[in-house]
Amino acid sequence: MALLKSNKVLYCLGNVSPSLGVLSSRNSSWWGGVQMGPPDPILGVTEAFKRDTNPKKMNLGVGAYRDDQGKPYVLNCVRKAEAVIAEKKLDKEYLPIGGLGEFAKACAQLALGADNEVLKSGRNITVQTISGTGSLRIGANFLSRFHGGPRDVYLPKPSWGNHTPIFRDAGMQLKAYRYYDPSTCGFDFKGALEDISKIPEQSVIVLHACAHNPTGVDPRPEQWKEISDLVKKRNLLVFFDMAYQGFASGDIDRDAWAVRHFIEQGHNIVLSQSFAKNMGLYGERVGGFTVVCKDAEEAKRVESQLKILIRPIYSNPPMNGARIATTILNTPELRAMWLEEVHGMANRIIKMREQLVAGLKKEGSSHNWQHVIDQIGMFCFTGLKPEQVERLTKEFSVYMTKDGRISMAGVSSGNVGYLAHGIHAVTK
Amino acid sequence: IMSVFSEVPQAAPVAVFKLTQDFNNDQHPQKVNLGVGAYRTDEGRPWVLPVVKKVEKLIVHDDRLNHEYLPILGLPEFRSSASKIALGDDSPAIKEERVGAVQCLGGTGALKIGAEFLRRFYNGNNNTKTPVYVSAPTWENHNAVFANAGFEDVRPYKYWDAEKRGLDLNGFLGDLESCPAHSIFVLHACAHNPTGTDPTQEQWKKIAEVMMRRKLFVFFDSAYQGFASGSLEKDAWAVRYFVSMGFEMFCAQSFSKNFGLYNERVGNLTIVARDGDNLKRILSQMEKIVRTTWSNPPSQGARVVAITLNTPELFSEWSDNVKTMADRVLLMRAQLKAKLQALGTPGTWDHITQQIGMFSFTGLNSQQVEYMVKEKHIYLMASGRINMCGLTTKNIDYVAESIHEAVTKVQ
């Protein structure tokens, strides 16, 4: 019997009766009842931007880094790594289900630090995944199948839009803990602690390791320490999402501090990593998923089950990006080059934040824009209200999402003054 | 902190990969790997197609290219050219603008996305009880793909007749006639894995007639187009016939074998819809499924295929490369059969040359297979499936003799 789970689907009752499944005419279709899916809010912004003919238009929805000319940036270390790989004339044989072994190792070392006790004892299992999304999905599937605790996954409010459907499709349920304080455009530390203290034991809590998406608001180290203590007290399973290591502060160790602190404090975390932004490998889909286990024996069991999960989704992951990332991480001059370039990208963002605030002051804005500088990473939660966003788009051709989020990557020294002018105009 | 994973059991390894692992660990000088389905040259080495090397060089030197995200559904020029390969340049369905596609992670990924869509939207909403039929036997991952997508009832349809070593057409048609209405059938477009036994055109016509009359869903798995006969058109005959019959259907395509792009994960889910409006809605829902699985697909492999298919001289070179692979397999088939006949190995061995594609179902039973692996260091699947690509002019005598021994010594 067909179960109508979705109240969004309308049936063309004249054509298809779900319980009988009878096609009444040659021209009717199996898919008459399939609704048009809602347009992606971010893509919608880009579509509208493309149609705009204003030469001063700005696309601040884009979640990919742009250089100061507004162009995509292919890292030099990536180009060099590609040349090295091309020389090797490698074959194209299937990778193992868990991906390129050297990649998994380098990926874990990057997150945890090469001298981490976890790595030395072999009690982690790290698999190569289809970038951050693929990692989160494998993790969600793994928890859904093997986590004996509650089905509930607690996300910060707000979180990356795709977190919710990923966990939901994996069979988990979503809840939230307070995170962003709109009155300060900063961290609602008190609210977060209050909410976390009420989370039932063994629930899953998702933490953004650094450069929170979409707010750019990160806890300070002393705040992370308190969160860690509380999470330990509540016996929660920690799922770290680290999509911006290196990209947030410019320093890979600093950006991984929270992850390493939690592990040091005894949390056996699960961790998703992405190399889309920090290596600019977006379309190559490079990521990793790590489970920190009790010991090496448990890690072997967990590994075997991760493979069983991965095989019916895509069999084994793509080689190209993982090969590039591994070459960079394991070749000293390329690694040094990468660290400089990622530092450079982070610095450009930081500079744009400073210039935007300076520009707003110059325009005569009386508002406090300190949060623009305090926030970190690619995104900035400006604090603009939907009506103000609409005006900014209509009157100035500045495209951003309705929640007031802008991608600093879309800001350059050539247009930051214009942006400041527009923001001032709609907020004065 | 107590471990939340202390109860996680050790899972059994995936058989075909375990086989390769055992082969790799074996030190015997005459060992042969007839397990995993990847092409090998006559030197027993992997083969990166010359056209692929050429195109990869073009990509590396093209400064206009970057590593930006592809659209959720993939590289547009890849999707359209890949669908054309399956359906034909002059396909009426394409002309009628009712063919769409989703770039996926290999053939597995295409099956996965198609299965997820069917579970959500086919035969009602979230009707997990809709039976999914896979051939007996079939590629071992088919079961898991559909089960993991939520289907509760994945069943075998009669296919391989072990006694006569051929297609059990009557059994197949019987299952088509008696299955619950709206059942989903996974059909191998050509070069059936693992048996290498395909229906003839007349048999396909019979199968299509029943499926149309009983309103069964057609889901083709096309992993070997070009590789089976050496001809892209010939290998696509069944898919195109079903399209011409007017089915709304899916076809999961893999470019792992015919482009040798195994580890770049290049696949395409081709969707043939009733009309453009249905297609639009289907693709919008496919996007949602993709978004929570991998967000958007990897660009490298799709670029290689798109450039090749869309550039006449490169397309021509690719067709030749494909024929080279198919021809070597045909040669090995002919030689293996000849040698077994010359040895006087009991039984008939016509099936070796009648079967098509990468694999052959030898008919060896599990004890005979164990003998081959343990005593002769020849690695093949417990089902008796061998990968013809693992045979070379240098090892074919040893393999033939070993089969002869297994058949005569082990019952």
Side-chain angles (χ1 to χ4, degrees), chain A residues 165-378:
Chain A
I166 288 172
F167 281 103
R168 190 172 284 152
D169 278 5
M172 304 297 280
Q173 277 151 20
L174 281 310
K175 293 213 155 69
Y177 58 92
R178 273 173 288 169
Y179 190 84
Y180 178 72
D181 185 346
S183 66
T184 62
C185 294
F187 184 34
D188 182 0
F189 185 43
K190 187 156 163 286
L193 290 180
E194 267 176 39
D195 284 354
I196 293 173
S197 69
K198 300 198 183 96
I199 297 179
E201 294 209 16
Q202 302 220 336
S203 303
V204 178
I205 182 168
V206 171
L207 302 170
H208 295 222
C210 63
H212 180 272
N213 179 1
T215 68
V217 169
D218 287 348
R220 289 193 306 274
E222 56 274 22
Q223 293 172 323
W224 272 126
K225 285 178 178 168
E226 276 197 60
I227 294 168
S228 167
D229 288 343
L230 178 57
V231 164
K232 205 193 289 192
K233 214 157 103 198
R234 298 301 306 148
N235 194 17
L236 305 178
L237 176 51
V238 174
F239 198 145
F240 264 113
D241 184 356
M242 183 154 69
Y244 298 97
Q245 187 185 5
F247 199 91
S249 70
D251 181 327
I252 51 163
D253 295 311
R254 199 161 142 201
D255 289 348
W257 185 86
V259 168
R260 296 174 190 182
H261 174 75
F262 270 65
I263 289 176
E264 200 199 328
Q265 291 293 301
H267 298 271
N268 283 351
I269 66 169
V270 303
L271 166 70
S272 285
Q273 289 169 264
S274 167
F275 289 85
K277 286 88 174 169
N278 61 9
M279 280 194 184
L281 289 174
Y282 307 92
E284 302 297 338
R285 319 310 291 127
V286 192
F289 177 67
T290 294
V291 182
V292 177
C293 300
K294 194 177 74 191
D295 51 40
E297 186 272 333
E298 181 172 280
K300 279 263 153 296
R301 283 184 282 115
V302 169
E303 179 185 19
S304 71
Q305 294 295 348
L306 288 174
K307 288 181 182 172
I308 299 287
L309 274 169
I310 290 170
R311 172 80 167 146
I313 303 177
Y314 53 85
S315 277
N316 40 72
M319 166 66 103
N320 195 48
R323 194 44 93 185
I324 294 170
T326 309
T327 304
I328 291 170
L329 292 172
N330 290 345
T331 312
E333 329 103 61
L334 293 183
R335 190 187 178 102
M337 196 182 288
W338 173 57
L339 292 175
E340 250 188 73
E341 288 189 277
V342 85
H343 190 77
M345 290 191 286
N347 268 4
R348 193 183 90 68
I349 301 283
I350 291 168
K351 206 156 129 215
M352 289 301 103
R353 290 178 179 278
E354 288 164 0
Q355 285 190 12
L356 179 56
V357 172
L360 285 161
K361 285 205 171 91
K362 198 153 147 237
E363 289 282 329
S365 178
S366 54
H367 296 289
N368 179 359
W369 296 102
Q370 184 58 33
H371 56 280
V372 173
I373 291 178
D374 290 342
Q375 288 167 8
I376 193 170
M378 199 179 285

Side-chain angles (χ1 to χ4, degrees), chain B residues 305-358:
Chain B
V305 173
I307 291 170
T308 305
L309 297 182
N310 288 320
T311 314
E313 323 89 73
L314 294 174
F315 182 98
S316 183
E317 193 178 337
W318 173 58
S319 301
D320 285 344
N321 289 171
V322 172
K323 191 151 186 312
T324 297
M325 294 190 284
D327 284 349
R328 196 181 93 66
V329 168
L330 289 169
L331 181 65
M332 290 298 101
R333 286 186 179 279
Q335 287 191 359
L336 181 61
K337 173 174 140 182
K339 287 183 192 295
L340 289 170
Q341 285 175 339
L343 286 167
T345 309
T348 58
W349 298 100
D350 293 332
H351 58 284
I352 303 267
T353 48
Q354 280 161 3
Q355 288 164 6
I356 194 168
M358 204 181 271

Side-chain angles (χ1 to χ4, degrees), chain A residues 1-6 8-9 11 18 20-23 26-38 40 43 63-66 72-74 78-79 82 86 90-95 97 130 133-134 137 142-143 145-148 160 162 165-166 169 202 232 235 237 265-268 270 276-277 280-285 291-294 297-298 300-302 304-305 307-320 324, chain B residues 1-14 16-17 36-40 46-48 52 56-57 60 62-63 65-70 72 105-106 108-110 112 116-127 129 139-141 144-145 148 181-182 215-217 245 248 250 254 256-257 260-265 271-275 278 280-282 284-285 287-300 303:
Chain A
M1 220 43 202
L3 289 170
L4 284 168
K5 285 267 167 80
S6 166
K8 288 191 208 167
V9 176
Y11 274 92
L20 298 176
V22 171
L23 291 176
R26 261 188 64 99
N27 290 329
S28 60
S29 161
W30 283 123
W31 315 121
V34 174
Q35 281 270 66
M36 189 69 191
D40 186 290
L43 284 180
Y65 180 79
R66 295 287 176 264
Y73 175 58
V74 177
V78 167
R79 288 207 196 279
E82 287 176 312
L90 301 165
D91 65 40
K92 298 205 168 290
E93 295 298 286
Y94 287 124
L95 283 177
I97 299 173
I130 316 299
T133 301
R137 182 52 183 273
F142 180 76
L143 293 177
R145 193 172 275 187
F146 292 107
H147 181 47
W160 181 44
N162 207 18
I166 288 172
D169 278 5
Q202 302 220 336
K232 205 193 289 192
N235 194 17
L237 176 51
Q265 291 293 301
H267 298 271
N268 283 351
V270 303
K277 286 88 174 169
L281 289 174
Y282 307 92
E284 302 297 338
R285 319 310 291 127
V291 182
V292 177
C293 300
K294 194 177 74 191
E297 186 272 333
E298 181 172 280
K300 279 263 153 296
R301 283 184 282 115
V302 169
S304 71
Q305 294 295 348
K307 288 181 182 172
I308 299 287
L309 274 169
I310 290 170
R311 172 80 167 146
I313 303 177
Y314 53 85
S315 277
N316 40 72
M319 166 66 103
N320 195 48
I324 294 170
Chain B
I1 293 181
M2 258 294 291
S3 169
V4 291
F5 302 128
S6 47
E7 301 308 306
V8 172
Q10 176 78 31
V14 178
V16 68
F17 299 129
V36 77
Y39 179 78
R40 293 284 177 269
W47 193 48
V48 179
V52 167
E56 287 192 319
K57 266 209 189 94
V60 157
D62 189 344
D63 281 332
L65 293 176
N66 52 41
H67 293 288
E68 293 296 290
Y69 289 126
L70 285 181
I72 296 173
L105 285 265
T108 305
K112 164 69 171 179
E116 288 284 345
F117 181 89
L118 290 174
R119 193 261 299 158
R120 283 165 173 72
F121 297 108
Y122 175 72
N123 198 26
N125 260 33
N126 205 40
N127 189 353
K129 301 221 185 307
W139 180 48
E140 99 329 298
N141 205 19
V145 170
N148 269 262
H182 316 300
K215 307 197 193 323
L216 306 175
F217 189 81
M245 284 281 286
E248 288 178 288
F250 288 171
S254 168
S256 291
K257 284 87 173 170
L261 285 172
Y262 308 93
N263 70 19
E264 299 295 3
R265 317 311 294 124
I271 299 149
V272 182
R274 180 75 65 223
D275 53 44
N278 271 292
K280 205 167 65 150
R281 285 179 286 108
I282 292 168
S284 74
Q285 295 295 348
E287 275 194 355
K288 287 182 69 182
I289 295 169
V290 169
R291 184 64 167 141
T292 62
T293 314
W294 54 61
S295 269
N296 41 75
S299 66
Q300 178 70 5
R303 272 186 183 152

